[in-house]
Amino acid sequence: MYGFLSRPTGTEEILFYLKDGMEQEVSCIPYTIREEGREETGYGELLSEYPFIRQEDLDSMRNGELRLFIYGDYENWGFSVLETAREANRLYTRSPGFVPFEPGAWETDFLTGGISRCRIMRSRCFIKEGY
């Protein structure tokens, strides 16, 4: 599994809404985006460390754009999010964050039942004022 979401670089939080195998929304997982800790990187470094990323997905990024590269973690029940931003024609990234599907790791009162074979249904983002 691999995909990405594009948002403005000022985005602070994304909500991932999940559905179960019956196509019913069962949970909402918040994911906080942090600008601190991002370091400048190059195409070669990103593509060698994350070979599933397609170069055209990096080439098509615009200045002021944040891409959240989302990919499955086959050893754990959840997915990873690699934040990559383009500012002044330079790429910046940080270590990937892991989003577990396990209730309790992120849940506040969103869970209405067990999660089985969930997938990302849609997302909503929150952006800093001024963006």
Side-chain angles (χ1 to χ4, degrees):
M1 177 183 90
Y2 161 78
F4 68 83
L5 298 171
S6 291
R7 298 291 186 259
T9 53
T11 302
E12 295 179 329
E13 182 179 69
I14 290 267
L15 298 176
F16 293 108
Y17 293 87
L18 303 178
K19 285 185 174 183
D20 64 15
M22 303 295 289
E23 298 295 314
Q24 298 296 311
E25 186 177 318
V26 294
S27 62
C28 174
I29 302 173
Y31 181 79
T32 302
I33 298 169
R34 295 177 189 90
E35 288 184 36
E36 66 275 354
R38 285 188 197 150
E39 296 181 4
E40 188 175 349
T41 188
Y43 288 99
E45 294 170 68
L46 277 172
L47 295 173
S48 67
E49 195 162 344
Y50 305 99
F52 54 84
I53 294 178
R54 299 179 318 173
Q55 182 161 351
E56 54 264 26
D57 292 340
L58 295 173
D59 290 344
S60 62
M61 288 179 69
R62 297 180 176 189
N63 284 322
E65 182 178 352
L66 170 71
R67 285 214 175 154
L68 303 171
F69 292 98
I70 302 164
Y71 55 98
D73 183 327
Y74 299 105
E75 296 186 20
N76 297 296
W77 199 42
F79 57 94
S80 294
V81 179
L82 176 66
E83 301 170 29
T84 304
R86 181 182 294 279
E87 291 288 345
N89 295 316
R90 295 183 175 165
L91 290 174
Y92 297 88
T93 194
R94 57 181 290 122
S95 296
F98 179 73
V99 180
F101 287 134
E102 287 87 7
W106 44 261
E107 171 195 58
T108 52
D109 277 328
F110 299 110
L111 191 64
T112 59
I115 299 176
S116 64
R117 291 183 287 162
C118 290
R119 64 179 177 83
I120 297 173
M121 181 178 93
R122 66 181 191 272
S123 70
R124 186 174 77 202
C125 67
F126 297 91
I127 302 172
K128 290 181 191 174
E129 255 182 71
Y131 286 86

